[in-house]
Amino acid sequence: MVEIRLHGRGGQGTVVAAKILADAMSKIGKYVQAFPEYGVERRGAPVKAFIRIDDDIIYIKSQIYEPDNLVILEPALIGTIDLIYGLKEGGWIIVNTNKDPAEMKFDGNYRIATIPATKIALKHHLGSKAAPIVNTAILGGVIKILELCDLDTLVEAVREGVPIKEDANVAATKEAFESTKGGR
Amino acid sequence: MVEIRLHGRGGQGTVVAAKILADAMSKIGKYVQAFPEYGVERRGAPVKAFIRIDDDIIYIKSQIYEPDNLVILEPALIGTIDLIYGLKEGGWIIVNTNKDPAEMKFDGNYRIATIPATKIALKHHLGSKAAPIVNTAILGGVIKILELCDLDTLVEAVREGVPIKEDANVAATKEAFESTKGGR
Amino acid sequence: MRKVIIGNHALSYGAMLSRAQVIAAYPITPQTEVIELLSEMCANGELDAKFIKVESEHSAMTACVGASATGVRTFTATSAQGLALMHEVLHWAVGARTPVVMGNINRAMAPPWTIWTEQTDSLSQRDTGWMQIYCQNNQEVLDSVIQAYKVAEQVKLPAMVILAAFVLSHTSETVEMPEQEKVDEFLPPYELEYKIDPDDPHAFGGLTGPDGYFELRYIIQKAIEDAIPKWEEVGEEFGKLFGRSYGLVETYKIEDAKELIISSATVASTARSAIDYLREKGKKVGLLRIRVFRPFPAEKVKSLLSAIDKAIVIDRNISFGASGIFYQEVKAACYNEKNKPPIFGVITGLGGRDVGKKDIIDIYEYVMKQDKVESDIIWKGVRV
Amino acid sequence: MRKVIIGNHALSYGAMLSRAQVIAAYPITPQTEVIELLSEMCANGELDAKFIKVESEHSAMTACVGASATGVRTFTATSAQGLALMHEVLHWAVGARTPVVMGNINRAMAPPWTIWTEQTDSLSQRDTGWMQIYCQNNQEVLDSVIQAYKVAEQVKLPAMVILAAFVLSHTSETVEMPEQEKVDEFLPPYELEYKIDPDDPHAFGGLTGPDGYFELRYIIQKAIEDAIPKWEEVGEEFGKLFGRSYGLVETYKIEDAKELIISSATVASTARSAIDYLREKGKKVGLLRIRVFRPFPAEKVKSLLSAIDKAIVIDRNISFGASGIFYQEVKAACYNEKNKPPIFGVITGLGGRDVGKKDIIDIYEYVMKQDKVESDIIWKGVRV
Amino acid sequence: MKLSIPEEEIMGHGHLACQGCGAALAMRYALKAFGRNTVMTFPACCWSVIDGPFPHSAVNVPLFHTCFEAAASTASGIKAGFDAQGKDVNVVAWAGDGGTYDIGIQALSGAAERNDDIIYVCYDNEAYMNTGVQRSGSTPYLSWTTTTPVKHPKQRPKKDIVSIMAAHRIPYLATASVAFPEDMITKFKKAKDIKGTRFLLVFSPCPPGWRANPENTIKLAKLAVLTRVFPLIEVENGRVWKLTKKVRTVKPVSEYLKLQGRFRHLSEDDVAVIQENTNKDWEILMDKVGEKD
Amino acid sequence: MKLSIPEEEIMGHGHLACQGCGAALAMRYALKAFGRNTVMTFPACCWSVIDGPFPHSAVNVPLFHTCFEAAASTASGIKAGFDAQGKDVNVVAWAGDGGTYDIGIQALSGAAERNDDIIYVCYDNEAYMNTGVQRSGSTPYLSWTTTTPVKHPKQRPKKDIVSIMAAHRIPYLATASVAFPEDMITKFKKAKDIKGTRFLLVFSPCPPGWRANPENTIKLAKLAVLTRVFPLIEVENGRVWKLTKKVRTVKPVSEYLKLQGRFRHLSEDDVAVIQENTNKDWEILMDKVGEKD
Amino acid sequence: MPKKSEVKIIFESIKDMPPLAVSLYTMDYNKTGSWRNVRPIIDYDKCTYCTICWKFCPEPSIDLEKIEVDGKEKFKPIINYKYCKGCGICWTECPVDAIYTEEESE
Amino acid sequence: MPKKSEVKIIFESIKDMPPLAVSLYTMDYNKTGSWRNVRPIIDYDKCTYCTICWKFCPEPSIDLEKIEVDGKEKFKPIINYKYCKGCGICWTECPVDAIYTEEESE
Ligand SMILES: Cc1ncc(C[n+]2csc(CCOP(=O)(O)OP(=O)(O)O)c2C)c(N)n1
Ligand SMILES: Cc1ncc(C[n+]2csc(CCOP(=O)(O)OP(=O)(O)O)c2C)c(N)n1
Ligand code: SF4
Ligand code: SF4
Ligand code: SF4
Ligand code: SF4
Ligand code: SF4
Ligand code: SF4
Ligand SMILES: [Mg+2]
Ligand SMILES: [Mg+2]
């Protein structure tokens, strides 16, 4: 079982990202669970989402306390709240940033990858400068780093999972897949 | 324990009659229960009320199936509905009527008494001709026949129990006490 | 002083003597006399209370909860549909810890429309956290209102004083009226630690996450557990002042009893006469009347059942798809006991079908013939 | 076809595939997605139903009851406060014998306001006569809606399909979607003997005195008892068509079990992993998940407990002044059995406090150390 | 000779209304106007009793009893049920004033907001009669009831349900009186042929509740109109107000009040205030109707 | 320089409203007007969340959370509690439009009928926002919400709560807007000094619910007034209607609509219909106000 | 159409009962004539066949019979004493005082 | 007055807890500045001290400081970035465009 936690901001599509990733996993025959932090989402406020992926029916219904990997959609959150609590040693931290993995500093023994998802999203006109929608962009990088599925499967899930701008989202996903740094 | 059933018509004060009698019994130290037929009272429709009188706390809370005595406030009901069901053999049937006990015919072995309560009530201006209020009048006869208490106690209960026309009611009670026929 | 009053007026006098300060209520048969008399009392000045003549029971209970949270004593009364319409607010009163006292007249639930007695209305509220007292006569109704305030205010939980439709509500009975001064002595003014007060502002009942809610529920359970001894203490203290003691349960002829009839309210009252009859016939049967149903007096019931050979619970209520509710609760309470009798469950008297002495004798005799419990419901009096 | 959907949408698809004809519903967190999707489906024409966007849950349920009485299939969904507000009408639906199917998302009751999961909301409705199905995953949610119609329409009683707030309602899971044709085959159109029809006028639910009400209640109890085998039959028939069978309860590794963990819904689901862990450690422990809570599967539970040495019921709910509700019901059901284990009752996870595998293992280990049941509630996870 | 109202009796006899019940008359007329392709739903009210006990019924059209606060929403549900089956049936919610002005106003307001295709009839006897005469939102100013005792009679005016419903901009709304069955039946028939939420308010004296003699039921209902206490009107789309019964010789309200025990405690001053209020309300109404006296 | 509104902040920061929330602004102004001798009760609504989680709170006056349908009756109870103790406190029910137009209208109507001495404030954001934008009785004609999808947007006009409450003849009623805090505060202060039931309706844009940018909250609230979509008025005793903000240069409704995603699907014809309805409603209002444009 | 029944139906057993409280009979069993204190009697000599009494009877317990009077079709009001409750509306509203009353006796 | 608290209070044990959900602290712990994507900055060279930004801030996260300008008392608006959510109302409503913005960065 793989467990992943995502961090973003209300209105940014964090929960949708988790859902699309789950859809992609389902397409390759996995059983999945994807859920938001159970709470009261407010536009602008920090939010979390979670994914479980397994080969069998997933019976466990509790929260994820020790994720294997972390995805940070909103880099501005770094430093304002604790993001890495519970992350398993050696787990991946995948951050939306233009910086190099080496520039990112997190206390602990983790692997770090970066994706310039905001840049990509804006390039493809996903959201506004003040509120870019980065979820589809970042997923391209996530599946590459975590080796979860092939790009085509993800693209199919993106097409089904986004409400508007299908092509732009797909393009962003693909571009992110290519430009992700830090993969093995 | 003495159990009595009263028959009258909605709006005629049948339930109040039972209550006043219970009050009088309470005054002489008895424990009492008085209750209407549990139902939906409608002006004009036949109604029933019940009384239990005992020397001790009355624990039994069921209906009265086999009353010791019967009081009929509305003679027009005779013949239209069954009035004497369950009455114990030898029990009293006390009827509001100008007739003599001998003229009253009921199937079974009962003692019969009559009180011209309507006449008395109208004389004392209790209710209208179409709807005389006979409850206080008839009680005067009832206590006499059944030897339940002395007249003064009843009169006290009547004074406390009627909402208006205290004196007229008391006078009616007294007159009925005097003019009741059929006592032993 | 003795008075002959109906059960509904016993509730009104109970509220009056307890000096209820805010009343909010809505009429429903067979409760109306409760509020009619209270209206009179307020109009006459006999009772110095604000009476809000609300437009529904839902508003009656929310108004009581709101008023109670400001630190005043509140009262309402209802029945069946009215009680059911309050359901959400019953939960509210518990979570808000407002010691509202309410009279409920047990009436069967619609549809079909009916106004006669049955306990399913109040027992359907058993999971709300309200304390529930089932009364057997009008004296107990009046006395229980006063005691209910005392316990409720100590444990900060609401309480329901329950009486049977018509069998008590509209039956005039001899009642000893407590004197006001003594009631005042017994029941001191209501005081609150946290109340709605502009001089000390707090928000009550705000959003609580999984990090705090569980503890608040735990505190409520502890409070209602505390009420178990309180009902005994308060019932005894009442006895000292007024000569009539009360407890969680009442027993009758159980000293040497081998068999026990367990019931509540007026059915239990009638059962006394059945017990008398059966005792005359040489049967070793006793009566256990459960007076306080919530909190459920589990320890009491367990100990009373430990030396019994056979017990019968008579329910005037039903939880569809399960059984009679007192039956269920008694069994659940005693399950893990070492010494315990087989318990038979009888349902009778639904929708106001009369339950007489004879019915109870029949039930007893039927059960005595049974070797074991074959089914969770023995029906009595239904025309199958 | 497989889809990844949230529990709320599983309800919507269930209603759609069952061809609900009238929907009346009101939003409440965490139920809103159910009706948002149904609104879309109706607007798109995917679902040919009248959707009444009522002004309260009370009206949602009354509208469903009214529509159902004309002979159409109805659906609604709600949670916590909304369910509580329906309470009077829940009784109504039962007395009126209208087989409404409703989804309820288990959320803890206010105050304090909270939106997280707990079962007290639906369990507080246990005495209304509604059938109740507690689901462990989104697949079961969807499948149970379809089965609920089938059983409900056969016994003419309403049914509630229940899922945990967030843990299922907002969790996307892999779900196999039944094909419409097969569902149509499984679930024939709804037919009614007595329905509102100007060509055959009847009055429904009119005033009923003590001479008739009791019998009508008896008939309801018989109907809900009939539903016990029906849930098994229908669950098996469903299995034949769709490859997924369901029953009144589900068991896991009980063949040789000496100890049993009894629970419901997602806590029972999580308990599986705890059982796996404990089995690995050599413990002879099994799982009993109660799926159908009303009608209560007493016979089933009794027989499963007969060879057990120790049982633990884990409740995510509480009846204040008593105990956990599943605990109470299991004990009541087994009371008169000869062979039965001591049963321990644990309350945990109230107000959405998470219940993990580790918690369940802890509970098991704690109970195994106990000689006897000391108290009706063992608290787990509360910060005392 | 032609009868002024339809001959066919749909409502049967043997029902349980008190002697001289206005509500019973209202039903009799309503059924004459609506005909047999009608379905009714009653919330708790006198009519839940009047209709008779199971397994009997006096209305002879399908009748679904529902809870007190839910006449309108139940009707909406029933209508949706018929719609879903493609059946065209006249669905009527039939409620007392308590079930309309007070505990049922939310469901009514909701149905009206959605413009659900139902007829809502309120028979107005100005108190909770089925439970023995308690005050309702419809109880008139200074009236006695058991919860507004003579020492403290009702202090608030009757709720203006007509204006409230007009504010909902429903397609049709009318008042009627059992003393004017022809007018009432005309309006009920008209209502039947309109789509959307229709609201009909029928003035229905209650002898025991008003402490009046049963034989005065029609007299009282007539006087209410002739004293302008209860004007007969129609409102379309909440905007077009019409007076359907012009009163030529207006009677003083005292004539109406003095026949009723519920007003027995009134002083002369009280009566004068009621007269004044009635005049004022009439003026406001005339403004809406766009007529001058 | 003098500030145009009171300086003291009673409402604290750190609350949980979304960026640009009109409801938060409404509370800020209301507390400035009411002062600290005020007690509030909230039914379920965004404000039950905005205020913050236990044991925290942002309003800093006593606040009693109550169930969704019971703002008014809870306030009546609280007021009675203070009355019984002889304390004079300003008791305010503070509810959203869902809790006012829909599920809470019965309790509100009941309190108004009794003329209970409470202030009822409805902050109107025209949908159920706390649950994620579902239609309410206040949702405007043709608006999108999650339960009125663009394929089938809301078909009924916004419920006319002002006329409904005016029909209750309460002593004071007013509309206000977060874009005109001075007007709002004047009205709220005036309301505070009147006895009986007072009703205040505050137009409060909701950026996420309206699919609008948070920075446009004041702009939108202003446009609603300038387009006559939301007139600023006062009504005394249900009879005396006053316009408190005369609009000199009226703007077309399209200016208001186009800033909001919830109206994005509207055709030009739709917009024209909305313009026409707005004009008609304005005329009706002018009739009541007794003014001519 | 619901069946008429001259007696109140009380089911002997649930076997005869419908599964819910549904009406099967009219209220004809309920002879509300027994509620009557005072009996209205139409004096057909005075009666003008205006049908006003019929129109206002709440029971309804005045039937109409088609008759011919002076070649014109008229409706003759006939009081049904089985159900007439004696409310008095007819005798109060009769415009020509054609209805007189008698007290009901035992 | 409720206490200010810079941290979210989570009770360690029911012993510290009130018996019901009653607030004891303000919301000051909740630094809503973290919600901000875009930061408003007042250009005091342009600012006329009209206080409109203060008036319309929903948080409220603009404080006023009494200052003297040309001998007149004025209110100087100071943005409290701990709480400013960056909604943009102030920069939209400022009549003289005295508020400019900067994107928040990591
Ligand atoms: C929830 C609920 N509350 C109260 C009642 C009791 N109740 C039944 S009818 C009634 C009065 C009805 O008054 P109204 O609507 O005016 O009709 P009327 O009886 O006057 O014909 C009341 C209070 C009820 N059935 N349900
Ligand atoms: C009985 C009940 N039904 C539903 C809900 C769920 N609920 C909470 S707030 C809300 C919407 C409130 O809408 P509104 O009153 O307009 O306030 P807003 O959220 O827009 O501020 C709903 C539906 C509830 N709490 N209680
Ligand atoms: S109480 Fe009034 S309304 Fe009810 S049945 Fe009797 S007369 Fe009719
Ligand atoms: S959803 Fe709208 S009303 Fe609610 S807090 Fe957010 S902006 Fe304010
Ligand atoms: S007295 Fe009344 S019931 Fe009898 S016929 Fe005349 S109007 Fe009808
Ligand atoms: S009202 Fe009089 S005149 Fe007219 S038909 Fe009747 S009895 Fe004859
Ligand atoms: S951006 Fe918004 S929150 Fe920040 S100071 Fe400006 S108005 Fe206030
Ligand atoms: S609105 Fe602009 S000019 Fe006015 S005080 Fe604020 S920053 Fe200064
Ligand atoms: Mg009425
Ligand atoms: Mg809203």
Side-chain angles (χ1 to χ4, degrees), chain G residues 35-52:
Chain G
W35 300 21
R36 196 171 56 238
N37 279 312
V38 178
R39 170 187 297 253
I41 300 164
I42 300 180
D43 178 348
Y44 291 109
D45 291 341
K46 288 196 189 167
C47 176
T48 64
Y49 308 116
C50 71
T51 70
I52 285 177

Side-chain angles (χ1 to χ4, degrees), chain C residues 253-273:
Chain C
K253 301 197 174 163
I254 56 157
E255 293 65 33
D256 61 342
K258 290 286 123 212
E259 295 123 20
L260 206 54
I261 293 177
I262 304 172
S263 197
S264 62
T266 54
V267 172
S269 181
T270 302
R272 269 191 187 234
S273 29

Side-chain angles (χ1 to χ4, degrees), chain G residues 9-23:
Chain G
I9 306 288
I10 294 176
F11 297 103
E12 279 313 307
S13 142
I14 58 152
K15 288 174 202 83
D16 315 323
M17 254 175 144
L20 73 170
V22 71
S23 74

Side-chain angles (χ1 to χ4, degrees), chain A residues 66-78:
Chain A
E66 301 187 343
D68 299 294
N69 305 295
L70 216 65
V71 180
I72 300 173
L73 285 84
E74 174 53 275
L77 294 175
I78 298 171

Side-chain angles (χ1 to χ4, degrees), chain G residues 88-103:
Chain G
I89 289 179
C90 55
W91 72 73
T92 308
E93 297 303 324
C94 173
V96 298
D97 273 341
I99 308 180
Y100 63 96
T101 62
E102 261 178 21
E103 233 172 287

Side-chain angles (χ1 to χ4, degrees), chain F residues 14-15 17 28 55-57 182, chain H residues 24-26 30 55 59 85:
Chain F
H15 62 67
R28 185 175 164 233
H56 299 272
S57 164
E182 294 83 1
Chain H
L24 303 167
Y25 300 91
T26 62
N30 191 35
K55 195 170 71 175
E59 296 317 316
K85 291 177 185 157

